[in-house]
Amino acid sequence: MASFDMLGSFMLLPIGYGLTGWATEALGPALVFIAGGLLTALITALGLLHPAVRRFD
């Protein structure tokens, strides 16, 4: 499973670099850092909404 995860991550890496470069150029680095941090926190919080994760012992 880890190899599939790594393959997917490496495949999406150039897209992430391109979008981040475009966003930094268009919006500025400060806003991109803030948006990236908020997006990371939101995705993590969404994972906690699943009942099986909250009941994990």
Side-chain angles (χ1 to χ4, degrees):
M1 190 66 208
S3 58
F4 286 120
D5 179 48
M6 187 178 290
L7 179 63
S9 297
F10 283 139
M11 286 176 29
L12 292 174
L13 197 59
I15 296 169
Y17 282 154
L19 289 175
T20 304
W22 171 82
T24 303
E25 188 70 29
L27 304 173
L31 189 57
V32 171
F33 275 112
I34 292 169
L38 288 174
L39 188 62
T40 301
L42 179 67
I43 291 171
T44 303
L46 283 175
L48 296 174
L49 291 176
H50 196 281
V53 172
R54 290 194 313 265
R55 287 189 303 239
F56 185 73
D57 286 328

